Amino acid sequence: MNSGSANLLAHLRTLSDPAKAAEMAAYHKTTREFLGISAQILDEMARDLRRDHDVPVRCDMARDLWDCDIHETRILAAKLLTQARMRPDDAAAWDLIATWAQDFDSWALADHAAIAGAKRLQADPARLEQVADWIAHTNMWTRRAALVMTLPLARLPHPKAGDIAAREQVLGWAEQLVPDRDRFIQKAIAWWLRDLSRRNPDRVRQFLAGPGAALSLPAQREAARNLPPA
C-alpha cells in the first residue's frame, strides 16, 4: 500500500462509528470489518478524490482500498472508478473491476462495483465478450454482475443496431440463468426485463411467455410490473 492509500485508510478510521458499524455488519451478514461510515461521506470523499487525482493514482488507490477488505474501503474503491469516461484509456479501471467481479460476496459491494463496471462497458462494448464468461462462473455474485453491469443497455431510449444486438446477447444470458433459483439471480433477471419493458414491452412479453415462464413467481411479477396493457 502506498503512502497516499495508507493516509486515506487512516482518515477513514478516524470517521468510524462502532455502533453504526455493528448495525451494518448485522444487516449485511458478513464477517468483513465495517467502520460505520455513511454513504454520503463516502460519496463526498470519492468526488473529491476523483477531482484531485489523475487516473493512474486513482486506480492505485482503488486497488489498495479493495485489498484492505473493509466494507467502506471497498465501496470507496468502486466509487473512485465510477464516472462516464476515464480518458485517455480506461483499461486499467476495467481490469480492476473485472478482477474484483470474480470474488464478489455481497450485494452491496457487487452493486457498487457493477455501477462502475457499467460505465466501462458503455465505453467499450467489446468487453461484453469477457462478461459473457461470467454467466457460467461458480460464484453466484459474478453471474449476477453480468446482468447488473449491462442494465444500461435495457434503458437505452434510441438503441442502434449494435445496441439491439447486445440486448439480445444479454437476454440470451438471462435465459441461461432462468433455471438458477438463487433469489438474487431471479431478481437481476426481473430488473433487466422490468427496465426493458419501458423501451420494448413486446420483447419482454415474448420473453415472459417463453423462457421467462420458468422464472419464480415473484420475479415474473417484478418483470411485468411496468408493462403497459397489451
Side-chain angles (χ1 to χ4, degrees):
M1 176 181 292
N2 62 40
S3 60
S5 301
N7 291 336
L8 184 54
L9 175 58
H11 177 60
L12 286 167
R13 289 197 179 281
T14 68
L15 302 175
S16 65
D17 180 336
K20 182 66 174 176
E23 292 176 5
M24 292 173 66
Y27 174 73
H28 289 284
K29 297 180 174 63
T30 71
T31 58
R32 179 172 291 110
E33 182 181 358
F34 287 79
L35 300 178
I37 301 173
S38 72
Q40 180 180 351
I41 290 175
L42 294 176
D43 283 341
E44 292 171 354
M45 290 181 69
R47 182 193 63 224
D48 292 343
L49 289 166
R50 290 196 301 264
R51 180 195 63 211
D52 295 340
H53 298 287
D54 61 18
V55 171
V57 171
R58 275 185 280 139
C59 284
D60 286 344
M61 282 185 172
R63 183 183 298 105
D64 287 343
L65 290 169
W66 190 270
D67 289 345
C68 287
D69 200 21
I70 300 170
H71 179 82
E72 286 83 355
T73 63
R74 288 196 163 192
I75 295 293
L76 184 57
K79 289 179 179 295
L80 282 177
L81 304 184
T82 302
Q83 62 189 82
R85 289 299 302 270
M86 297 186 75
R87 294 182 173 89
D89 182 9
D90 69 350
W94 168 252
D95 290 344
L96 268 181
I97 297 164
T99 299
W100 296 343
Q102 305 310 302
D103 53 13
F104 287 153
D105 61 2
S106 71
W107 68 264
L109 299 183
D111 285 4
H112 278 88
I115 292 171
K119 299 292 187 182
R120 312 279 69 77
L121 283 175
Q122 288 175 282
D124 185 356
R127 289 170 175 152
L128 278 176
E129 298 310 312
Q130 182 178 355
V131 177
D133 293 337
W134 301 357
I135 295 299
H137 202 285
T138 56
N139 183 352
M140 178 276 291
W141 296 106
T142 307
R143 299 194 299 273
R144 181 175 177 273
L147 297 179
V148 179
M149 282 191 189
T150 54
L151 269 174
L153 282 170
R155 299 166 180 162
L156 290 173
H158 305 293
K160 299 177 182 178
D163 301 322
I164 293 172
R167 277 182 176 176
E168 289 301 314
Q169 183 178 8
V170 179
L171 286 170
W173 301 348
E175 181 174 351
Q176 292 179 57
L177 290 173
V178 164
D180 190 325
R181 307 320 287 178
D182 189 285
R183 65 189 181 94
F184 286 101
I185 295 292
Q186 295 286 307
K187 282 183 177 181
I189 298 171
W191 292 343
W192 224 97
L193 295 170
R194 180 197 63 200
D195 284 5
L196 182 59
S197 71
R198 297 186 176 97
R199 303 300 181 186
N200 192 340
D202 289 342
R203 183 66 181 92
V204 173
R205 291 191 186 95
Q206 181 186 39
F207 189 97
L208 289 174
L215 286 167
S216 67
L217 290 178
Q220 290 184 50
R221 288 194 293 268
E222 180 63 21
R225 182 158 59 92
N226 293 324
L227 276 175

